[in-house]
Amino acid sequence: MSQSPATDWQARAAQLREKIERANYRYHVLDDPEITDADYDRAMRELEALEDAHPQLAAADSPTRRVGARAQGGFAEVRHAKPMLSLNNAFELDGDDDRERFREVAEFERRIEQTLDRRSPVFSVEPKLDGLAISLRYEDGAFVQGATRGDGETGEDVTANLRTVRAIPLRLRGEDWPRVLEVRGEVIMLHKDFEAFNERARAAGEKTLANPRNGAAGSLRQLDPAITARRKLSFFAYAIGDVEGGELPQSHSKTLATLRDWGFPVSPEVATAKGFDGLIAYYRRIGAKRDALPYDIDGVVYKLDDYEGQRAMGFVSRAPRWAIAHKFPAQEQTTTVEAIEIQIGRTGAATPVARLAPVQVAGVTVTNATLHNADQVARLDVRVGDTVIVRRAGDVIPEVVRVMPELRPAHTQAWHMPSHCPVCGSALLREEGEAAWRCSGGLICPAQRKEALIHFAARRAMDIEGIGERFVDALVDFGYVHTPADLYRLTLDDFLEMKRRADERDGTTPETVRQGKVATKWAENLIEAIEASKHTTLPRFLFALGIMHIGESTAKTLAAWLGSLAMIRRMPATILRVLPDVGSEVAASIAGFFAQQGNQQVVDKLLAAGIVFADETHASPKLRDRLDLAVLLDKADVNKLGPKSTRLLADRFPTLDQLLAAGQAHWIVAGLPSAAATNLEAFLAEETNLRPLREAAAAMHELLASIPKASAEQASPLEGQTVVLTGTLSSLSRDEAKDRLEALGAKVAGSVSKKTSFVVAGEAAGSKLDKAQELGVAVWDEAQLLALLARHEGGS
Ligand code: IVH
């Protein structure tokens, strides 16, 4: 039986259609994709090419002619008043110049020029958001129905879920909106919300989201809106559907501006551009920014701006001829796992890492991807030899998203965390309730020493330029550096010798005179950078120490409240816990770090090396409001001794000595219930209870005594006030307003709550203004803000 070439391509087309349809179903209906976007695009393009070559093949039901798969049960169906269209795609091709590389864009633009007989038409240019398309219907200004796109004709009624998305206005702002208005756009999940969700899921041993798009889609398809509400979603508007009883502007860009006025978020990246060159310039600009954007995009969209031109261009099979999506290279790719290794971090955490067959992901070659922790490996069931989907988005470390079990070779084995550290051989241990296994070797583990050094030298820490990974390896391996303090003892000769040994070990070329000079210059620069790092700030230094759970913001809190390293390194956990955003775990970690002699010695050596802080000061006077004996007694958690009782005792006996000297009888006379007094007496009789309390009380006394007596001038007139900025201010930028308010002691928050002191509403203020009104929080205008700033600035 011989096969004609005709049946060959027929069979191939059928195969591709099935693949695409299955992928559509998994992606659009089940929200559980099976192949990568890149694989999908490839199949689609191959099928399109086949159908172009053999038009008789192109059945009306081909996936190339369809927007998406049909919605599945669970939600009521919604017929869209106007169909929700799809966009044709343009990809980057091979070629030497822009017109070749972006031929599809050039053809799109030329077709418009020719059809409309216009030179360099104006386009609305927008990011192509990677979320879920939805349609929002407003009647008389009220949100009445929200639907998914579904197959473009019929979607699912997800009104209840969309109501939980805060970016979606429940009522339109402003006026002059049409009686019926359908706004379309994309529901997305921001990177930070996606990361936070997955972090929580991982910690709880639950299923993680493969990517933010799945996060948005999966959340909207929850039958229980309460679940949707807990997953933070965002929304950007980019199109209009049905409009009745009113007028819209004559161009898309003006419509978007109007939508913004009516309370819809529109991506801040939206702009206009002229002609082919303008389009490509925008593509490049957004492409360069892609990794820094707070959400995923998979390309940019060009839309002919004026509606008259749009009408004249019309549609071809469900996609407009006046718009096109210009796609970026995909952020997900498939590759195979060659090994699973363990990386030991600065705090000893053992992170499984997949070594991959090199693959290009979004323009970068990826050879490693994180597997996060042992639970994640078990959940994904990643094995050596597996074909996996890797994803790289933004600055985030590439990660393994999913395994493709159908491609698993025979005889693979499930992976298990090794029992010992691959670097130092110490046992790997896991604490109760923790996801991470840790190497128990501490600083005897070279891996931890190296990570600690790299962290210490990092830009946001001590900022020592030139301490790259390779030199840290050599510094530690050859024994030049055991702790960060050793860095400050190294001489020019040490560096040169170390470099020679490193080159030798790596088999790098032998030394010539010229190279000798280069090496000397390198070492001199390094010494200079180390020297320069001695002048630093207290938060940087604290962050650089690499204390577990101490990020930059906690370091700033410590410095702002306690003022000096001398205080911070002496404070017990009980005292640290009164600082804002310092919980028991963080407090224990800081106190635990400084409780170790070795760490205190390293700090002493660093100070002896000449490290100085420009910003050391005394402890904050605000501590007086947060810290007294009542607080210490509260933290001691004595049975039956509630906050009222501790308050009473602290007011009557302000120091621990006075409290002890008074004794049970006097406490009762002072008004303490006798049961509480008995319990307290018994509690204080135990040396194991009394000692930490004495220590805490002594530390508290020392800390409070170090605060200078209140001066007549008040430096922070807005102390204790929380301000929220919303909308656009005309005479100063939001950042500037924030800086100036903070300089006066106010806290500037991102969202409105009952605790908000006042909201400053500029032009086009949105949901935060609504929230303020709902909660009865004071709303100020720009003039009031300026008057306030004028009153306090420079005058304090
Ligand atoms: S406009 C007639 N604008 O891309 C044009 N779509 O392939 C209708 N998308 O379903 C869509 N960002 O999910 C438009 N700025 C943007 C977009 C965008 C993302 C998605 C949307 C749509 C798909 C079309």
Side-chain angles (χ1 to χ4, degrees), residues 463-781:
D463 193 17
I464 308 178
E465 215 186 305
I467 303 259
E469 217 164 284
R470 175 159 179 255
F471 295 112
V472 166
D473 277 353
L475 285 170
V476 171
D477 291 346
F478 299 145
Y480 288 94
V481 171
H482 292 271
T483 76
D486 296 333
L487 280 179
Y488 294 89
R489 288 183 312 126
L490 294 176
T491 63
L492 196 69
D493 287 340
D494 289 334
F495 277 117
L496 291 174
E497 186 188 74
M498 181 213 78
K499 182 158 172 21
R500 216 164 28 245
R501 289 172 69 181
D503 286 347
E504 241 169 64
R505 178 172 75 173
D506 302 352
T508 320
T509 35
E511 188 144 320
T512 63
V513 174
R514 205 187 72 78
Q515 276 174 332
K517 279 195 186 142
V518 172
T520 309
K521 185 77 202 136
W522 163 82
E524 281 169 3
N525 286 344
L526 209 48
I527 290 211
E528 212 168 279
I530 292 173
E531 193 58 34
S533 75
K534 289 181 181 173
H535 294 270
T536 186
T537 65
L538 185 52
R540 275 177 177 273
F541 180 80
L542 291 170
F543 176 57
L545 290 177
I547 306 168
M548 209 194 321
H549 304 310
I550 308 307
E552 286 174 283
S553 98
T554 310
K556 282 184 188 155
T557 303
L558 288 170
W561 284 80
L562 302 177
S564 64
L565 180 62
M567 273 310 157
I568 294 165
R569 66 193 292 192
R570 273 209 296 278
M571 288 299 130
T574 319
I575 304 285
L576 297 170
R577 273 196 60 183
V578 309
L579 305 184
D581 301 324
V582 175
S584 57
E585 206 181 339
V586 173
S589 169
I590 301 165
F593 179 88
F594 288 114
Q596 297 205 1
Q597 260 329 99
N599 290 334
Q600 290 281 7
Q601 280 164 6
V602 170
V603 170
D604 282 336
K605 281 190 196 156
L606 286 166
L607 295 177
I611 288 181
V612 287
F613 314 113
D615 54 345
E616 267 194 319
T617 162
H618 50 73
S620 165
K622 292 182 283 185
L623 277 170
R624 290 207 189 93
D625 304 333
R626 289 198 175 226
L627 197 55
D628 67 2
L629 188 61
V631 174
L632 301 191
L633 290 173
D634 285 339
K635 300 271 195 259
D637 235 354
V638 180
N639 199 13
K640 293 224 162 72
L641 195 71
K644 254 197 209 139
S645 299
T646 55
R647 181 75 271 140
L648 180 144
L649 288 173
D651 287 346
R652 178 69 184 73
F653 313 103
T655 69
L656 184 61
D657 286 337
Q658 286 170 309
L659 183 77
L660 292 169
Q664 192 171 359
H666 284 98
W667 304 339
I668 293 173
V669 172
L672 190 69
S674 59
T678 310
N679 283 338
L680 180 61
E681 176 83 21
F683 178 86
L684 294 175
E686 297 276 344
E687 187 53 27
T688 47
N689 294 332
L690 186 57
R691 197 181 328 109
L693 197 58
R694 270 193 198 285
E695 277 166 16
M700 176 178 85
H701 181 73
E702 184 190 3
L703 186 59
L704 293 178
S706 75
I707 303 171
K709 294 283 163 278
S711 65
E713 296 172 327
Q714 209 201 2
S716 304
L718 300 186
E719 195 62 69
Q721 306 225 33
T722 304
V723 184
V724 173
L725 300 168
T726 178
T728 317
L729 302 172
S730 63
S731 61
L732 69 177
S733 76
R734 231 197 246 198
D735 281 342
E736 193 189 339
K738 180 167 185 275
D739 286 346
R740 288 168 65 180
L741 283 164
E742 284 177 346
L744 295 173
K747 183 173 166 225
V748 177
S751 61
V752 181
S753 77
K754 270 192 268 183
K755 292 198 190 124
T756 308
S757 312
F758 59 91
V759 170
V760 179
E763 269 301 298
S767 57
K768 290 178 198 166
L769 178 55
D770 296 345
K771 187 74 192 274
Q773 280 157 350
E774 194 183 309
L775 294 176
V777 169
V779 177
W780 291 22
D781 62 20

Side-chain angles (χ1 to χ4, degrees), residues 85-87 126-129 133 149 186 238-239 301 303 320 322:
L85 301 168
S86 179
L87 291 170
E126 312 171 3
K128 187 169 191 300
L129 304 158
R149 183 174 66 161
E186 203 88 348
Y238 52 61
V301 183
K303 300 171 184 169
W322 44 264

